[in-house]
Amino acid sequence: MIAYLLRSLVQAALVMLAVAFIAFSMFRFVGDPIASIVGQDATLKDRQELSRALGLDDPMPVQFARFLANAAQGDLGLSYRQGRPVAALLGERLPATIELALLSALLALVVGLTLGVYTAIRRNGLLANVIMSASLVGVSLPTFLIGIGLIYIFSVELRWLPSFGRGDVVRLGWWTTGLLTESGRKSLVMPVVTLAFFQLTLIMRLVRSEMLEVMRTEYVRFARARGIPDRVIHFRHALRNTMVPVVTITGLQLGSVIAFAIVTETVFNWPGLGALFVQSVQVVDVPVMAAYLMFVGLVFVVVNLLTDLVYLMLDPRLRSASAAPAR
Amino acid sequence: MSEPVLSVRDLRVEFVTRRGILKAIDGVSFDIAKGEVLGVVGESGAGKSVTGSAVIGLIDPPGRIAGGEVRLGGQRIDNLSPEAMRRVRGKRIGMIFQDPLTSLNPLYRVGEQLVETIQTHTNLSNAGARKRAIELLAEVGIPAPERRIDGYPHEFSGGMRQRVVIALALCAEPELIIADEPTTALDVSVQAQIISLLKRLGREHGTAIMLVTHDMGVIAETADRVAVMYSGRIAEIGPVRQVVQTPLHPYAKGLMGAIPTLVQSSDDRLVQIPGSMPRLSAIPPGCPFHPRCPHAWDRCSRDRPDPIQHAEHRVACHLYDANDPTAKAHMIHTHAPLEEGVAS
Ligand SMILES: Nc1ncnc2c1ncn2[C@@H]1O[C@H](COP(=O)(O)OP(=O)(O)OP(=O)(O)O)[C@@H](O)[C@H]1O
Ligand SMILES: [Mg+2]
């Protein structure tokens, strides 16, 4: 078990190193940093001086090592565009994205699981079939369309919910939250639903098919043959076994919710990291793009580690994997 | 004679499929008395497992019980509500499946699974149920049960897991145990142990046992009576000694005739009779065995043979129809070729 965790950690570190290298490479291959900063009409001398000052003349490994050391200390460089530390920019935007993503993930997980279990248990029920058909729309409809549709209905027609921004936010230390004000909560509804929709339908369909699979196993049949009530079979025997395969994909999905809130943030003008990324791509603000890339990598790595931990909790076979099972 | 524990009458089970209704079980009748072991043999697909599932009420759609009666201790159970039938399962009928590696839920300790089953059928407290679980594990021969009860299924060997499965089936002291090939998935070395355990438990508790197996050696050693199934029907049923030593039905003869060769063969399975059992969608009219039967005459492809009492056997074959004057002639005429056909 310790070995398993250790392996996960080493893997995580390697992945982060690779992501950091790609981020670092962006500085060399995407755009021209000097041109981005000084513009077209700077003299050659200005350019050379700047290049030296930024350390761009050093050999590549040295530059990469410096990049890593700085990043580890939270120094992600200066934004070409705004001239401010990238870390500060990210820090300002982070709460908006995290709040949006965590609420979406929670919604997708809770509703997706519930509906997945329901549609599996009531496989032939009318409601279950309606839900399944509706979910087909969910997986095939692009996120921005759902967002625009919601805006049209709830902002334009009904005028119930704001169509953009976070509303009023409350400051808690360096964190900002929209959950403590009415307008903040109202502003969250549509972006959260939009972002959750795809993951929700995906999780639901996955849970359903895994659950149906588990319901066909011998141990479920044996539990029924022992007279265990259906309720116990569904929620004790089947659900936990369903979760083992579901956890990986769900983990990755939730990771991508946090990482790729880009479309939703753009549609709702949400002042989060995704919107920041889109802006910096438009102006080729490489330090911000590179930092965002590393942020996404970090999210996936952390989610993956958590997934591994959940695995350990769910499946006793992994916990004693080091002690050879008696056969 | 007292009332049998299990009494099955003219049981029919059908599967509704796109290609029509398949009759998996077509008119099966048998009894099992208290403390008796009924062995059930027959080729793969003969309907042994489906019969067991029907008795315990676990035929799932698209399957259904299409007719007949199942009585447990005199009470009809084939028409109970799902909830009432659930309370019969595990409490009055225990079931043991073929593969102990897949019968146990891998995510729960064996103790949790035992306690859960015990508490489903009794009012025992947690502590009481745990004590009972330890007793059960001890009874099925698991060493150090106080310690092993907290183990997970993957920490047990195949034979030990099958013992756990048996303990689970015994939780509520059922009147009847259905064991569907309980040793097929096990190492040869532990098969005998599991069978003798079953036999001992059946004797000590007076449990009726329906033992499905491909192993004629196990049948000969364990069963009191044996039923030979073919194409969803019972071809022959009777006391084990008679059916094994002097089988009447041509199919049973083929099956039992194969036993001597079994001793030498490394694999303890039945030697196949030439030809194969018809698929459910293509069961011929008359006797389902007639295309393979060396004795068959025109009547066999026309009339379906009903079970006939012949000495201590009940056999579904026109050869033993005392009212058919031509039957005897067919028997004598073709006796020798059958033996040859089987041996080849
Ligand atoms: N769910 C199902 N749908 C359709 N046909 C089925 C279903 N379950 C069983 N059958 C059919 O019922 C017949 C009897 O099957 P059964 O499992 O009882 O055979 P068996 O005698 O136990 O064979 P084996 O020795 O292989 O275990 C087979 O022809 C099988 O194809
Ligand atoms: Mg079977």
Side-chain angles (χ1 to χ4, degrees), chain A residues 125-246:
Chain A
L126 179 69
L127 184 57
N129 280 317
V130 170
I131 295 173
M132 279 306 288
S133 313
S135 78
L136 214 55
V137 179
V139 281
S140 48
L141 219 58
T143 309
F144 72 91
L145 263 186
I146 296 172
I148 291 171
L150 288 178
I151 289 178
Y152 179 74
I153 298 173
F154 294 102
S155 303
V156 180
E157 290 293 323
L158 297 172
R159 297 180 174 280
W160 286 353
L161 298 168
S163 64
F164 65 89
R166 287 184 85 188
D168 299 325
V169 294
V170 174
R171 203 161 255 295
L172 300 170
W174 65 275
W175 191 264
T176 57
T177 176
L179 284 174
L180 298 177
T181 67
E182 161 117 32
S183 76
R185 281 193 295 267
K186 271 188 166 175
S187 303
L188 269 166
V189 176
M190 288 199 297
V192 164
V193 170
T194 306
L195 186 54
F197 210 78
F198 177 75
Q199 325 294 337
L200 190 160
T201 49
L202 204 80
I203 291 173
M204 172 194 132
R205 296 181 75 90
L206 183 71
V207 167
R208 183 189 116 100
S209 68
E210 287 297 338
M211 181 106 172
L212 287 177
E213 193 70 32
V214 170
M215 291 301 290
R216 275 196 291 272
T217 57
E218 281 292 296
Y219 54 81
V220 165
R221 244 180 95 73
F222 187 46
R224 291 176 62 204
R226 301 201 304 272
I228 309 293
D230 281 353
R231 184 177 32 82
V232 177
I233 290 182
H234 291 150
F235 292 102
R236 215 173 115 82
H237 290 270
L239 189 57
R240 188 159 167 191
N241 279 284
T242 302
M243 290 315 289
V244 174
V246 166

Side-chain angles (χ1 to χ4, degrees), chain A residues 254-308:
Chain A
L254 299 187
S256 65
V257 163
I258 300 183
F260 301 125
I262 299 175
V263 177
T264 307
E265 291 191 0
T266 308
V267 170
F268 290 97
N269 219 336
W270 192 258
L273 289 172
L276 176 69
F277 176 70
V278 171
Q279 288 160 19
S280 43
V281 168
Q282 279 159 2
V283 298
V284 201
D285 194 344
V286 177
V288 177
M289 287 159 64
Y292 183 76
L293 180 67
M294 285 198 291
F295 166 75
V296 170
L298 189 67
V299 166
F300 272 101
V301 162
V302 169
V303 167
N304 238 324
L305 279 177
L306 290 179
T307 307
D308 284 349

Side-chain angles (χ1 to χ4, degrees), chain B residues 13-17 19 22-25 40-53 59-63 98 180-181 212-214 229 231-232 269 277-281:
Chain B
V13 177
E14 297 174 347
F15 289 96
V16 182
T17 70
R19 281 170 293 123
L22 303 179
K23 293 182 176 169
I25 302 295
V40 180
V41 296
E43 258 163 85
S44 190
K48 308 180 295 292
S49 299
V50 171
T51 304
S53 301
I59 298 282
D60 290 319
Q98 178 173 341
D180 193 347
E181 307 194 31
V212 175
T213 175
H214 283 274
M229 289 194 71
S231 276
R269 296 213 156 215
M277 204 169 63
R279 275 175 297 126
L280 289 184
S281 51

Side-chain angles (χ1 to χ4, degrees), chain A residues 90-156:
Chain A
L90 291 190
E92 280 166 18
R93 301 291 194 117
L94 193 67
T97 292
I98 295 284
E99 207 162 271
L100 172 65
L102 283 187
L103 284 175
S104 300
L106 199 69
L107 182 74
L109 199 61
V110 171
V111 180
L113 258 177
T114 312
L115 291 185
V117 170
Y118 178 82
T119 50
I121 295 175
R122 293 278 143 78
R123 184 154 46 127
N124 299 314
L126 179 69
L127 184 57
N129 280 317
V130 170
I131 295 173
M132 279 306 288
S133 313
S135 78
L136 214 55
V137 179
V139 281
S140 48
L141 219 58
T143 309
F144 72 91
L145 263 186
I146 296 172
I148 291 171
L150 288 178
I151 289 178
Y152 179 74
I153 298 173
F154 294 102
S155 303
V156 180

